[in-house]
Amino acid sequence: MDFDDNLPVGTSDASGDAAGVRACDVTILVCSSCRDETGSDAHPRAGERLAESARRAAVGQGVTVRTVECLGNCKRRLSAALLRDGAWSYVFGDLNVSSGEDLVTGAQLFSTSTDGLIPWRGRPDSLKRGLVARIPPLALIKEDK
Ligand code: FES
């Protein structure tokens, strides 16, 4: 899948101001249980190696890396999510064990976004091709009439 998911949402969060953009906290959530393409159960799992790659890339970058045992995206191989309070949440798949730097780049773009979306421009290819879903913050959901 290759599409521009960076559609306008008609809202903005409080992360930006006219003088400059304040960075918001972004968490990279990596599935540590994902297996590599061989399906091996060996440890460390490929997901654990991806988490370690993200931790190394995040050093000094103001990005938090956490792990979870499954993101429910097992068919798309190595998976991770980017989370930010009050912003859209993103799930990615088809990553590899060295995608940590891409996740940190995406997290940095996300942290200074003024519309609560990860900008398409500058987003690493793995986070374009690997996009599985984006989920709006509850505050953005309007009730059906
Ligand atoms: S085991 Fe990684 S998404 Fe399910």
PDB file of all heavy atoms in Angstrom, residues 7 11 21 27 36-37 45-46 53 58 60 64 66 68 76-77 80 87-88 90 95 106 111 116 130 139 145:
ATOM      1  N   LEU A   7      -3.969  13.444   5.293  1.00  0.00           N
ATOM      2  CA  LEU A   7      -5.106  14.256   4.912  1.00  0.00           C
ATOM      3  C   LEU A   7      -5.390  15.301   5.981  1.00  0.00           C
ATOM      4  O   LEU A   7      -5.141  15.074   7.152  1.00  0.00           O
ATOM      5  CB  LEU A   7      -6.334  13.353   4.744  1.00  0.00           C
ATOM      6  CG  LEU A   7      -6.168  12.244   3.732  1.00  0.00           C
ATOM      7  CD1 LEU A   7      -7.354  11.303   3.809  1.00  0.00           C
ATOM      8  CD2 LEU A   7      -6.031  12.812   2.345  1.00  0.00           C
ATOM      9  N   THR A  11      -8.307  20.326  12.250  1.00  0.00           N
ATOM     10  CA  THR A  11      -8.068  20.645  13.644  1.00  0.00           C
ATOM     11  C   THR A  11      -6.574  20.797  13.853  1.00  0.00           C
ATOM     12  O   THR A  11      -5.774  20.442  13.004  1.00  0.00           O
ATOM     13  CB  THR A  11      -8.608  19.538  14.570  1.00  0.00           C
ATOM     14  OG1 THR A  11      -8.488  19.978  15.923  1.00  0.00           O
ATOM     15  CG2 THR A  11      -7.835  18.245  14.395  1.00  0.00           C
ATOM     16  N   VAL A  21       7.753  25.695  16.875  1.00  0.00           N
ATOM     17  CA  VAL A  21       6.993  24.497  17.176  1.00  0.00           C
ATOM     18  C   VAL A  21       7.625  23.803  18.365  1.00  0.00           C
ATOM     19  O   VAL A  21       8.813  23.531  18.371  1.00  0.00           O
ATOM     20  CB  VAL A  21       6.969  23.565  15.943  1.00  0.00           C
ATOM     21  CG1 VAL A  21       6.256  22.278  16.275  1.00  0.00           C
ATOM     22  CG2 VAL A  21       6.315  24.267  14.778  1.00  0.00           C
ATOM     23  N   THR A  27       6.032   8.279  21.790  1.00  0.00           N
ATOM     24  CA  THR A  27       6.494   6.955  22.213  1.00  0.00           C
ATOM     25  C   THR A  27       6.472   6.011  21.016  1.00  0.00           C
ATOM     26  O   THR A  27       5.480   5.948  20.288  1.00  0.00           O
ATOM     27  CB  THR A  27       5.589   6.392  23.328  1.00  0.00           C
ATOM     28  OG1 THR A  27       5.687   7.245  24.467  1.00  0.00           O
ATOM     29  CG2 THR A  27       5.997   4.973  23.712  1.00  0.00           C
ATOM     30  N   ASP A  36      10.975 -13.215  12.662  1.00  0.00           N
ATOM     31  CA  ASP A  36      11.488 -12.840  11.344  1.00  0.00           C
ATOM     32  C   ASP A  36      10.786 -13.666  10.270  1.00  0.00           C
ATOM     33  O   ASP A  36       9.874 -14.454  10.563  1.00  0.00           O
ATOM     34  CB  ASP A  36      13.013 -12.981  11.275  1.00  0.00           C
ATOM     35  CG  ASP A  36      13.482 -14.415  11.462  1.00  0.00           C
ATOM     36  OD1 ASP A  36      12.652 -15.359  11.325  1.00  0.00           O
ATOM     37  OD2 ASP A  36      14.668 -14.615  11.738  1.00  0.00           O
ATOM     38  N   GLU A  37      11.236 -13.527   9.019  1.00  0.00           N
ATOM     39  CA  GLU A  37      10.550 -14.184   7.899  1.00  0.00           C
ATOM     40  C   GLU A  37      10.638 -15.704   7.955  1.00  0.00           C
ATOM     41  O   GLU A  37       9.858 -16.388   7.301  1.00  0.00           O
ATOM     42  CB  GLU A  37      11.094 -13.663   6.563  1.00  0.00           C
ATOM     43  CG  GLU A  37      12.561 -13.892   6.317  1.00  0.00           C
ATOM     44  CD  GLU A  37      13.452 -12.894   7.047  1.00  0.00           C
ATOM     45  OE1 GLU A  37      12.925 -11.937   7.640  1.00  0.00           O
ATOM     46  OE2 GLU A  37      14.676 -13.102   7.040  1.00  0.00           O
ATOM     47  N   ARG A  45      13.942 -12.579  19.733  1.00  0.00           N
ATOM     48  CA  ARG A  45      13.066 -12.500  18.565  1.00  0.00           C
ATOM     49  C   ARG A  45      13.453 -11.284  17.726  1.00  0.00           C
ATOM     50  O   ARG A  45      14.025 -10.313  18.213  1.00  0.00           O
ATOM     51  CB  ARG A  45      11.609 -12.356  18.996  1.00  0.00           C
ATOM     52  CG  ARG A  45      11.042 -13.614  19.636  1.00  0.00           C
ATOM     53  CD  ARG A  45      10.199 -14.382  18.639  1.00  0.00           C
ATOM     54  NE  ARG A  45       9.709 -15.633  19.190  1.00  0.00           N
ATOM     55  CZ  ARG A  45       8.525 -15.772  19.768  1.00  0.00           C
ATOM     56  NH1 ARG A  45       7.714 -14.732  19.888  1.00  0.00           N
ATOM     57  NH2 ARG A  45       8.146 -16.934  20.223  1.00  0.00           N
ATOM     58  N   ALA A  46      13.049 -11.329  16.460  1.00  0.00           N
ATOM     59  CA  ALA A  46      13.337 -10.194  15.577  1.00  0.00           C
ATOM     60  C   ALA A  46      12.732  -8.906  16.143  1.00  0.00           C
ATOM     61  O   ALA A  46      13.321  -7.830  16.030  1.00  0.00           O
ATOM     62  CB  ALA A  46      12.798 -10.484  14.181  1.00  0.00           C
ATOM     63  N   SER A  53      17.243  -1.806  18.200  1.00  0.00           N
ATOM     64  CA  SER A  53      17.649  -0.867  17.155  1.00  0.00           C
ATOM     65  C   SER A  53      17.019   0.499  17.401  1.00  0.00           C
ATOM     66  O   SER A  53      17.680   1.546  17.265  1.00  0.00           O
ATOM     67  CB  SER A  53      17.213  -1.428  15.788  1.00  0.00           C
ATOM     68  OG  SER A  53      17.271  -0.459  14.777  1.00  0.00           O
ATOM     69  N   ALA A  58      17.364   6.105  19.452  1.00  0.00           N
ATOM     70  CA  ALA A  58      16.641   7.114  20.242  1.00  0.00           C
ATOM     71  C   ALA A  58      17.521   7.802  21.280  1.00  0.00           C
ATOM     72  O   ALA A  58      17.101   8.802  21.864  1.00  0.00           O
ATOM     73  CB  ALA A  58      15.447   6.461  20.933  1.00  0.00           C
ATOM     74  N   GLY A  60      19.429  10.186  23.208  1.00  0.00           N
ATOM     75  CA  GLY A  60      19.622  11.628  23.105  1.00  0.00           C
ATOM     76  C   GLY A  60      18.634  12.337  22.197  1.00  0.00           C
ATOM     77  O   GLY A  60      18.782  13.534  21.933  1.00  0.00           O
ATOM     78  N   THR A  64      10.832   8.122  23.487  1.00  0.00           N
ATOM     79  CA  THR A  64      10.729   6.966  24.372  1.00  0.00           C
ATOM     80  C   THR A  64      10.450   5.718  23.550  1.00  0.00           C
ATOM     81  O   THR A  64       9.648   5.755  22.611  1.00  0.00           O
ATOM     82  CB  THR A  64       9.570   7.167  25.371  1.00  0.00           C
ATOM     83  OG1 THR A  64       9.819   8.359  26.118  1.00  0.00           O
ATOM     84  CG2 THR A  64       9.430   5.987  26.313  1.00  0.00           C
ATOM     85  N   ARG A  66       9.209   1.769  23.977  1.00  0.00           N
ATOM     86  CA  ARG A  66       8.622   0.756  24.846  1.00  0.00           C
ATOM     87  C   ARG A  66       8.330  -0.480  24.005  1.00  0.00           C
ATOM     88  O   ARG A  66       8.299  -0.410  22.778  1.00  0.00           O
ATOM     89  CB  ARG A  66       7.313   1.257  25.454  1.00  0.00           C
ATOM     90  CG  ARG A  66       7.469   2.455  26.365  1.00  0.00           C
ATOM     91  CD  ARG A  66       7.711   1.981  27.800  1.00  0.00           C
ATOM     92  NE  ARG A  66       8.147   3.037  28.676  1.00  0.00           N
ATOM     93  CZ  ARG A  66       7.348   3.899  29.291  1.00  0.00           C
ATOM     94  NH1 ARG A  66       6.054   3.820  29.133  1.00  0.00           N
ATOM     95  NH2 ARG A  66       7.841   4.818  30.077  1.00  0.00           N
ATOM     96  N   VAL A  68       5.771  -4.116  23.608  1.00  0.00           N
ATOM     97  CA  VAL A  68       4.522  -4.787  23.933  1.00  0.00           C
ATOM     98  C   VAL A  68       4.613  -6.177  23.306  1.00  0.00           C
ATOM     99  O   VAL A  68       5.399  -6.379  22.379  1.00  0.00           O
ATOM    100  CB  VAL A  68       3.323  -3.975  23.371  1.00  0.00           C
ATOM    101  CG1 VAL A  68       3.338  -3.941  21.851  1.00  0.00           C
ATOM    102  CG2 VAL A  68       1.994  -4.493  23.889  1.00  0.00           C
ATOM    103  N   ARG A  76       1.767  -8.900   9.220  1.00  0.00           N
ATOM    104  CA  ARG A  76       2.593  -7.897   8.552  1.00  0.00           C
ATOM    105  C   ARG A  76       4.009  -7.875   9.129  1.00  0.00           C
ATOM    106  O   ARG A  76       4.719  -6.907   9.012  1.00  0.00           O
ATOM    107  CB  ARG A  76       1.949  -6.506   8.658  1.00  0.00           C
ATOM    108  CG  ARG A  76       0.678  -6.337   7.849  1.00  0.00           C
ATOM    109  CD  ARG A  76       0.919  -6.191   6.355  1.00  0.00           C
ATOM    110  NE  ARG A  76       1.704  -5.014   6.032  1.00  0.00           N
ATOM    111  CZ  ARG A  76       1.185  -3.826   5.728  1.00  0.00           C
ATOM    112  NH1 ARG A  76      -0.122  -3.671   5.720  1.00  0.00           N
ATOM    113  NH2 ARG A  76       1.960  -2.818   5.429  1.00  0.00           N
ATOM    114  N   ARG A  77       4.392  -8.979   9.761  1.00  0.00           N
ATOM    115  CA  ARG A  77       5.766  -9.115  10.281  1.00  0.00           C
ATOM    116  C   ARG A  77       6.088  -8.046  11.310  1.00  0.00           C
ATOM    117  O   ARG A  77       5.236  -7.614  12.040  1.00  0.00           O
ATOM    118  CB  ARG A  77       6.770  -9.107   9.116  1.00  0.00           C
ATOM    119  CG  ARG A  77       6.622 -10.295   8.206  1.00  0.00           C
ATOM    120  CD  ARG A  77       7.094 -11.545   8.880  1.00  0.00           C
ATOM    121  NE  ARG A  77       6.839 -12.700   8.026  1.00  0.00           N
ATOM    122  CZ  ARG A  77       6.780 -13.920   8.482  1.00  0.00           C
ATOM    123  NH1 ARG A  77       6.967 -14.157   9.761  1.00  0.00           N
ATOM    124  NH2 ARG A  77       6.556 -14.922   7.679  1.00  0.00           N
ATOM    125  N   ALA A  80       5.313  -1.992  14.763  1.00  0.00           N
ATOM    126  CA  ALA A  80       5.527  -0.968  15.785  1.00  0.00           C
ATOM    127  C   ALA A  80       4.441   0.084  15.642  1.00  0.00           C
ATOM    128  O   ALA A  80       3.770   0.178  14.608  1.00  0.00           O
ATOM    129  CB  ALA A  80       6.909  -0.339  15.635  1.00  0.00           C
ATOM    130  N   ALA A  87      -2.998  13.137  19.646  1.00  0.00           N
ATOM    131  CA  ALA A  87      -2.722  13.084  18.213  1.00  0.00           C
ATOM    132  C   ALA A  87      -3.169  11.720  17.669  1.00  0.00           C
ATOM    133  O   ALA A  87      -3.580  10.840  18.420  1.00  0.00           O
ATOM    134  CB  ALA A  87      -1.240  13.299  17.942  1.00  0.00           C
ATOM    135  N   TRP A  88      -3.084  11.570  16.362  1.00  0.00           N
ATOM    136  CA  TRP A  88      -3.391  10.288  15.750  1.00  0.00           C
ATOM    137  C   TRP A  88      -2.369   9.252  16.211  1.00  0.00           C
ATOM    138  O   TRP A  88      -1.216   9.596  16.504  1.00  0.00           O
ATOM    139  CB  TRP A  88      -3.345  10.413  14.232  1.00  0.00           C
ATOM    140  CG  TRP A  88      -4.466  11.232  13.664  1.00  0.00           C
ATOM    141  CD1 TRP A  88      -4.626  12.581  13.775  1.00  0.00           C
ATOM    142  CD2 TRP A  88      -5.589  10.752  12.931  1.00  0.00           C
ATOM    143  NE1 TRP A  88      -5.778  12.965  13.136  1.00  0.00           N
ATOM    144  CE2 TRP A  88      -6.392  11.868  12.596  1.00  0.00           C
ATOM    145  CE3 TRP A  88      -5.984   9.489  12.496  1.00  0.00           C
ATOM    146  CZ2 TRP A  88      -7.568  11.751  11.877  1.00  0.00           C
ATOM    147  CZ3 TRP A  88      -7.156   9.372  11.763  1.00  0.00           C
ATOM    148  CH2 TRP A  88      -7.940  10.492  11.469  1.00  0.00           C
ATOM    149  N   TYR A  90      -0.445   5.639  15.095  1.00  0.00           N
ATOM    150  CA  TYR A  90      -0.076   4.953  13.857  1.00  0.00           C
ATOM    151  C   TYR A  90       0.435   3.553  14.142  1.00  0.00           C
ATOM    152  O   TYR A  90       1.208   3.352  15.084  1.00  0.00           O
ATOM    153  CB  TYR A  90       1.048   5.724  13.149  1.00  0.00           C
ATOM    154  CG  TYR A  90       0.602   7.024  12.530  1.00  0.00           C
ATOM    155  CD1 TYR A  90       0.422   8.156  13.304  1.00  0.00           C
ATOM    156  CD2 TYR A  90       0.356   7.112  11.171  1.00  0.00           C
ATOM    157  CE1 TYR A  90       0.016   9.353  12.734  1.00  0.00           C
ATOM    158  CE2 TYR A  90      -0.048   8.298  10.587  1.00  0.00           C
ATOM    159  CZ  TYR A  90      -0.223   9.416  11.373  1.00  0.00           C
ATOM    160  OH  TYR A  90      -0.623  10.601  10.806  1.00  0.00           O
ATOM    161  N   LEU A  95       8.338  -3.997   8.863  1.00  0.00           N
ATOM    162  CA  LEU A  95       9.608  -3.380   9.254  1.00  0.00           C
ATOM    163  C   LEU A  95      10.676  -4.454   9.275  1.00  0.00           C
ATOM    164  O   LEU A  95      10.397  -5.642   9.085  1.00  0.00           O
ATOM    165  CB  LEU A  95       9.451  -2.715  10.631  1.00  0.00           C
ATOM    166  CG  LEU A  95       8.369  -1.630  10.701  1.00  0.00           C
ATOM    167  CD1 LEU A  95       8.143  -1.182  12.142  1.00  0.00           C
ATOM    168  CD2 LEU A  95       8.735  -0.437   9.818  1.00  0.00           C
ATOM    169  N   GLY A 106      10.582   9.091  12.204  1.00  0.00           N
ATOM    170  CA  GLY A 106       9.136   9.317  12.197  1.00  0.00           C
ATOM    171  C   GLY A 106       8.658   9.947  13.496  1.00  0.00           C
ATOM    172  O   GLY A 106       7.820  10.850  13.496  1.00  0.00           O
ATOM    173  N   SER A 111       6.689  14.548  16.525  1.00  0.00           N
ATOM    174  CA  SER A 111       6.772  15.347  17.756  1.00  0.00           C
ATOM    175  C   SER A 111       6.596  16.833  17.495  1.00  0.00           C
ATOM    176  O   SER A 111       6.159  17.562  18.376  1.00  0.00           O
ATOM    177  CB  SER A 111       8.096  15.083  18.479  1.00  0.00           C
ATOM    178  OG  SER A 111       9.164  15.707  17.794  1.00  0.00           O
ATOM    179  N   GLY A 116      -1.176  17.101  14.432  1.00  0.00           N
ATOM    180  CA  GLY A 116      -1.403  15.799  15.055  1.00  0.00           C
ATOM    181  C   GLY A 116      -1.219  14.618  14.130  1.00  0.00           C
ATOM    182  O   GLY A 116      -1.583  13.492  14.473  1.00  0.00           O
ATOM    183  N   GLY A 130       4.874   0.792   4.983  1.00  0.00           N
ATOM    184  CA  GLY A 130       4.494  -0.091   6.080  1.00  0.00           C
ATOM    185  C   GLY A 130       3.285   0.368   6.872  1.00  0.00           C
ATOM    186  O   GLY A 130       2.906  -0.288   7.847  1.00  0.00           O
ATOM    187  N   ALA A 139     -10.835  12.710  21.090  1.00  0.00           N
ATOM    188  CA  ALA A 139     -11.353  14.078  21.059  1.00  0.00           C
ATOM    189  C   ALA A 139     -11.721  14.528  19.649  1.00  0.00           C
ATOM    190  O   ALA A 139     -12.479  15.470  19.479  1.00  0.00           O
ATOM    191  CB  ALA A 139     -10.324  15.027  21.655  1.00  0.00           C
ATOM    192  N   LYS A 145     -24.960  11.509  13.914  1.00  0.00           N
ATOM    193  CA  LYS A 145     -26.286  12.074  14.228  1.00  0.00           C
ATOM    194  C   LYS A 145     -27.370  11.129  13.784  1.00  0.00           C
ATOM    195  O   LYS A 145     -27.247  10.376  12.923  1.00  0.00           O
ATOM    196  CB  LYS A 145     -26.424  13.420  13.551  1.00  0.00           C
ATOM    197  CG  LYS A 145     -25.345  14.338  14.054  1.00  0.00           C
ATOM    198  CD  LYS A 145     -25.745  15.769  13.938  1.00  0.00           C
ATOM    199  CE  LYS A 145     -24.585  16.550  14.516  1.00  0.00           C
ATOM    200  NZ  LYS A 145     -24.729  17.742  14.964  1.00  0.00           N
TER     201      LYS A 145
END
